[in-house]
Amino acid sequence: MKNYFFTSESVTEGHPDKVADLISDNVANYLINQNESHRTAIETMVSSNMVTIAGEVKTDLMKNTDSIEELVRQTVKDIGYEQENFHWKTLSFKNLIHNQSIDIARGVDKGGAGDQGMMFGYACSENDSLMPSAIYYSHKITKALSTARHGGQDWMGPDGKAQVTIEYSNVNEPVRIANVICSTQHSEDLEDNPEEVQKRVEKIIKPELDDMFDDNTIFQVNPTGNFVTGGPDGDTGITGRKIIVDTYGGYAPHGGGAFSGKDCTKVDRSGAYMARYLAKNIVASGSANNSTVQLSYAIGIKEPVSLYVYCDGKVRNDISEWISQNVDLTPLGIIRKFNLFQLNLSETTNYGHFGKEHLAWENTNISDQLKF
């Protein structure tokens, strides 16, 4: 088989869409307040020195609007935005959140799904995290950039992204990193000095790439030459636009639903977590080298409409039947299994919702039972 290439990207916490995601998750955390009866679906838009939040909620905490504004400003400050045209202290803020429809609440409060839709989970044997390699290394790069910036590399701005191309010899058999594209916002004193920026960035990111790069790997840093104006001043950010970054980097299907700002009765979030849990357990058990799991739900209905399992190029009805008989796939069952109303949603906002060992759905504690 001729070698082929696959590419995925990740973004830093200061990317405009991720600023919006983090604001949505932090506001949702505050309004949910670990209360299983509370509901949130928070959308955020950020642009030049402005933040607007909207969406629907069911909570008794909405009356304290000053606290929500303070939380939004603190979020922007913690990310590191004190730019002339996007500053936590001077930005304009608008709150358009309203109460949840009683028609939605009627079914959800009885344990049904918060919406209709389909969710996918994926896992493969390419690395210890059981994640596809391109998104795995993209996340490592963007996390390293943010860590370096918070650690004193003050020439870096909050905005940035990375794109990694993996060369494969066969399915789930990565050979090397063929190309790395990395863009990071930088200070004005490095304007028109792309060689120095590239040197500094490579020093930060190369240790994250293990032994996967070689002398022929191409590193491209800030391909336009400069990246001074960035963040929401350079590009509008909206909640939910980085769903591929949040999942598998395009290596697996996506149902289309975003995560951020949503309580876990929304199966866009909880269903996707369960699908990943199942897929990861299938691979961890040795039953397959790769696994794709699809779940689908109807709004207000407890049991999933369908369950589909695809492993190593084959539909595996035997595995899906075992799962249906042994795993609680209702939204409430998923919430209780992963303790999702205790979850700090902002822990999932950046660098993907999957592949992080400390998250409950990344555990493989049913894998010993999955022997097909």
Side-chain angles (χ1 to χ4, degrees):
M1 181 179 181
K2 186 177 179 180
N3 286 11
Y4 64 93
F5 300 85
F6 190 88
T7 301
S8 296
E9 73 162 359
S10 178
V11 297
T12 65
E13 62 180 347
H15 185 282
D17 292 330
K18 278 297 158 191
V19 175
D21 281 348
L22 187 57
I23 290 171
S24 290
D25 278 334
N26 280 345
V27 172
N29 271 331
Y30 170 75
L31 294 175
I32 294 169
N33 195 32
Q34 299 186 347
N35 188 322
E36 288 193 8
S37 68
H38 289 183
R39 305 285 180 261
T40 64
I42 308 298
E43 309 290 344
T44 302
M45 183 179 75
V46 297
S47 190
S48 293
N49 225 31
M50 63 82 69
V51 174
T52 298
I53 63 174
E56 67 273 7
V57 301
K58 178 190 168 190
T59 175
D60 57 7
L61 297 173
M62 261 306 294
K63 57 188 177 183
N64 197 348
T65 55
D66 288 343
S67 293
I68 294 174
E69 180 172 350
E70 290 172 9
L71 177 59
V72 169
R73 293 187 186 277
Q74 186 63 48
T75 300
V76 174
K77 182 180 181 180
D78 290 344
I79 293 171
Y81 275 112
E82 295 185 336
Q83 298 174 183
E84 180 180 356
N85 292 315
F86 194 72
H87 196 297
W88 62 272
K89 188 180 293 186
T90 61
L91 62 82
S92 64
F93 174 72
K94 185 176 289 188
N95 182 350
L96 301 176
I97 295 173
H98 59 84
N99 290 327
Q100 183 187 56
S101 163
I102 59 172
D103 293 330
I104 295 175
R106 186 177 292 116
V108 177
D109 290 345
K110 296 179 181 179
D115 202 353
Q116 71 177 46
M118 64 280 191
M119 303 84 221
F120 288 91
Y122 180 79
C124 62
S125 57
E126 293 183 22
N127 50 64
D128 290 342
S129 72
L130 304 189
M131 289 289 287
S133 294
I135 191 68
Y136 173 74
Y137 285 107
S138 294
H139 285 325
K140 290 190 72 177
I141 289 173
T142 52
K143 188 173 183 179
L145 292 174
S146 291
T147 299
R149 179 174 61 85
H150 286 296
Q153 300 277 358
D154 54 6
W155 60 271
M156 298 171 65
D159 197 358
K161 57 172 53 179
Q163 182 174 294
V164 174
T165 300
I166 300 290
E167 181 177 353
Y168 285 87
S169 61
N170 210 331
V171 177
N172 299 134
E173 295 181 9
V175 176
R176 56 186 287 271
I177 293 174
N179 192 291
V180 176
I181 302 172
C182 187
S183 296
T184 184
Q185 191 181 8
H186 59 79
S187 58
E188 290 185 1
D189 63 323
L190 286 169
E191 194 168 6
D192 300 321
N193 193 356
E195 295 83 5
E196 178 63 21
V197 174
Q198 174 132 0
K199 177 182 175 182
R200 295 184 186 186
V201 169
E202 286 192 27
K203 185 177 180 180
I204 293 169
I205 68 174
K206 280 185 175 179
E208 303 299 321
L209 304 181
D210 303 325
D211 58 352
M212 288 292 288
F213 71 96
D214 54 33
D215 291 341
N216 294 318
T217 299
I218 299 171
F219 288 87
Q220 297 172 274
V221 177
N222 290 355
T224 65
N226 282 320
F227 189 2
V228 176
T229 301
D233 185 39
D235 188 13
T236 298
I238 299 175
T239 300
R241 276 206 301 210
K242 288 295 175 282
I243 57 175
I244 300 303
V245 171
D246 286 343
T247 52
Y248 307 102
Y251 203 83
H254 196 293
F259 298 144
S260 289
K262 297 176 180 177
D263 73 84
C264 291
T265 67
K266 277 72 171 177
V267 282
D268 287 333
R269 189 187 276 273
S270 51
Y273 294 166
M274 175 55 81
R276 162 66 176 175
Y277 174 76
L278 296 172
K280 189 174 183 184
N281 268 275
I282 291 167
V283 174
S285 73
S287 299
N289 289 316
N290 61 69
S291 175
T292 301
V293 175
Q294 186 202 52
L295 291 166
S296 69
Y297 292 86
I299 188 168
I301 306 301
K302 295 180 181 180
E303 296 292 339
V305 174
S306 66
L307 166 63
Y308 165 85
V309 178
Y310 185 81
C311 302
D312 294 340
K314 297 179 181 180
V315 177
R316 293 293 301 269
N317 288 329
D318 55 335
I319 297 180
S320 60
E321 289 172 4
W322 186 93
I323 291 170
S324 295
Q325 294 169 9
N326 292 277
V327 182
D328 187 346
L329 300 177
T330 65
L332 186 58
I334 298 170
I335 288 168
R336 296 285 165 78
K337 181 175 184 61
F338 300 139
N339 205 15
L340 292 179
F341 271 87
Q342 303 299 310
L343 174 67
N344 180 354
L345 303 183
S346 60
E347 289 186 5
T348 66
T349 309
N350 294 298
Y351 321 117
H353 288 242
F354 309 116
K356 300 173 180 176
E357 292 184 0
H358 68 283
L359 297 174
W361 52 92
E362 290 298 310
N363 291 336
T364 52
N365 56 15
I366 66 169
S367 59
D368 290 340
Q369 305 171 53
L370 280 166
K371 297 293 184 182
F372 296 97

